[in-house]
Amino acid sequence: MQVQKILKSLIRRWFIVVLGLAVTAGACFFLQQNAPDNYKAQASLVLLPSTKSVGEAGNPYLGLGGMSEALDILTRKMSSEEFKETIREQSGASTFTAEADKGTSGAILLITASSPDSGQALKILDTVMNQAPVALTELQDVLNVPTTSRISTMKLLEDSKAVPEVKARTQLLLVTAAGGVAFSIMLTVLIDGLLLSRKHRKSTEPIEKPAGSKPPTPPATRQRKPSSAERFSSNRPTTDEPAHLAGETASVVPSSYRPG
């Protein structure tokens, strides 16, 4: 039912929907043309076990399976504010991430540096790559780990050219488009509801007469006083009805006045 109501509102107020979609399309085009480019560069380091654990003639790659704990400690060290401040002092920025490579089960550290400038991204990446072994050495110095038991690092890959982050811009455009469409629908439904409620309220209100427009009252009918002749004629008895029925009292004539 709610979906049907929304669809009916969108159909009734289609011009608002069209206007909202046009504004959303304009916003997406503006972001596409004016959003700053962001570049990223990646590199990876592998932690190697100590010579004591694999032997002088042993293969370090065979002992990579037990290095996950050391990798977790190193990533926490590189995520600290102290380490970021060191990178910021040497490269001018500290926009990077250091995390375990989820694509492999080995102790591989994946470093990603990003910046609006491609050269700056490469500089940040190179600084982090140089400071990662230093951070690992500091962690082992605190515990006074012997040299033969120390874990070392080896660089596997490092980008020589920063590439634009197309994914970030695409995500920004998708969020803008989805937000614009959702806002257009909500605004259309809200305006339609307000207009319908206003129309319903007007149709149910009683028609009010303007003040001072009372209907004129008919003039009072004056009762005309009957004349003396009319009163006398109305009081005289008729020949066909006795005087007492006419409302008069019959007068008695003395016998002395009667004609002989």
Side-chain angles (χ1 to χ4, degrees):
M1 293 299 294
Q2 294 295 333
V3 176
Q4 293 180 357
K5 290 181 180 180
I6 293 175
L7 291 177
K8 289 180 180 179
S9 299
L10 297 179
I11 293 174
R12 278 193 299 265
R13 315 297 173 186
W14 60 268
F15 51 90
I16 302 178
V17 180
V18 174
L19 180 61
L21 294 179
V23 173
T24 302
C28 292
F29 180 77
F30 178 80
L31 290 177
Q32 177 67 25
Q33 297 296 324
N34 297 279
D37 293 328
N38 199 43
Y39 295 89
K40 71 174 183 178
Q42 288 184 331
S44 56
L45 290 174
V46 59
L47 300 186
L48 300 176
S50 63
T51 55
K52 185 177 181 180
S53 61
V54 298
E56 292 291 339
N59 187 351
Y61 294 111
L62 298 177
L64 297 179
M67 305 291 294
S68 57
E69 291 81 3
L71 181 61
D72 291 340
I73 297 173
L74 179 60
T75 54
R76 290 181 180 274
K77 172 70 174 179
M78 296 176 66
S79 299
S80 64
E81 189 61 31
E82 179 184 359
F83 186 84
K84 290 181 179 180
E85 183 63 26
T86 302
I87 301 301
R88 192 179 298 112
E89 291 175 357
Q90 296 184 13
S91 62
S94 60
T95 310
F96 70 93
T97 58
E99 58 185 0
D101 190 354
K102 299 178 181 179
T104 179
S105 58
I108 299 177
L109 179 65
L110 180 63
I111 302 171
T112 304
S114 61
S115 175
D117 182 71
S118 59
Q120 183 70 19
L122 292 174
K123 185 177 181 180
I124 295 172
L125 179 65
D126 186 66
T127 304
V128 175
M129 289 288 289
N130 293 331
Q131 289 297 318
V134 176
L136 181 61
T137 301
E138 292 176 354
L139 290 173
Q140 298 179 93
D141 287 342
V142 173
L143 300 177
N144 296 320
V145 179
T147 304
T148 56
S149 300
R150 293 199 171 208
I151 301 171
S152 59
T153 61
M154 184 183 69
K155 180 171 66 175
L156 290 180
L157 299 172
E158 184 176 3
D159 291 339
S160 59
K161 182 178 180 182
V163 296
E165 285 190 277
V166 181
K167 183 179 179 180
R169 175 176 292 185
T170 303
Q171 290 177 347
L172 179 61
L173 292 176
L174 290 177
V175 170
T176 303
V181 172
F183 180 76
S184 300
I185 294 175
M186 292 174 60
L187 182 63
T188 303
V189 174
L190 178 61
I191 294 177
D192 181 66
L194 292 176
L195 293 177
L196 290 179
S197 61
R198 182 179 179 183
K199 183 178 179 181
H200 178 71
R201 186 169 58 253
K202 285 186 175 181
S203 62
T204 54
E205 287 180 353
I207 301 176
E208 298 181 355
K209 296 182 179 179
S213 61
K214 295 181 179 180
T217 57
T221 306
R222 295 181 178 179
Q223 295 183 356
R224 186 175 56 87
K225 294 182 178 181
S227 61
S228 59
E230 290 176 347
R231 289 197 302 271
F232 179 76
S233 62
S234 62
N235 293 329
R236 291 181 61 184
T238 60
T239 57
D240 295 334
E241 62 180 353
H244 68 276
L245 295 177
E248 292 185 354
T249 303
S251 59
V252 179
V253 182
S255 59
S256 59
Y257 290 97
R258 293 177 182 175

